[in-house]
Amino acid sequence: MGPLTVYLVRHAPTAGNLERRYIGVTDEPLCPEGQKRVAETCLDIPPADVVYTSGMVRTVQTASVLFPQAEQVAVPDLHEMDFGTFEGRTADEMADDAAYREWVDGWCLGRCPQGEDRAGFVARVCKGFDALAEDAQRRGLSQVAAVVHGGTIMALLSSYAEPAKDYYDWHASWCHGYVCACERVGGAWRMVVEREL
């Protein structure tokens, strides 16, 4: 497979995002502020024929505004982390929750009760990126856009990106992200981050 340029973009905010809730598998739409923000976004990205999303409504809505002419392809493995019993709650609301405190004290690496752990989430996202790249190859595409989630971007880039950085160092603001030159080397991806969006 030849090199693939991927424009990774984080979706616009939902009401739960603005309230600083853990919004992973909750399929919230964009809130009015999110709709306004994406409508005002001007990214230095060429028009895309295909844009990949997680299939969750917040990514689909954001992609529809940023890439109105593009065909959308859902890759479910690119969805945000499943926060289990923490889903929909804020850190303040869980300040006295022993399971939440244990998870945070463990650098958020362990399994969320009834949800995912970091390693499983990262592995799923990497599998999703494989599916994206294989689909792009079948279509003969050399560049694509992917409107996904903040955690998805951090999981992917902390696994493959050069220069190497920690998971949280790859945080992207809403409607922003990274341009990556991607190439499979051996059995793994090499993603050179060319610039921020």
Side-chain angles (χ1 to χ4, degrees), residues 16-30:
N17 292 149
L18 293 180
E19 294 169 358
R20 301 182 63 83
R21 297 185 181 280
Y22 284 92
I23 303 297
V25 296
T26 302
D27 202 10
E28 284 191 341
L30 300 182

Side-chain angles (χ1 to χ4, degrees), residues 22-26 56 58 76-88 103 108-118 120-122 124-125 149 151-152 167:
Y22 284 92
I23 303 297
V25 296
T26 302
M56 300 191 83
R58 56 195 185 267
D77 279 334
L78 296 177
H79 74 74
E80 182 60 276
M81 184 171 179
D82 183 347
F83 295 108
T85 60
F86 306 149
E87 186 78 23
W103 183 65
C108 306
L109 295 172
R111 182 174 302 280
C112 300
Q114 300 177 31
E116 291 181 290
D117 63 9
R118 170 87 64 80
F121 168 58
V122 169
R124 169 171 59 74
V125 168
H149 308 268
T152 303
Y167 183 89

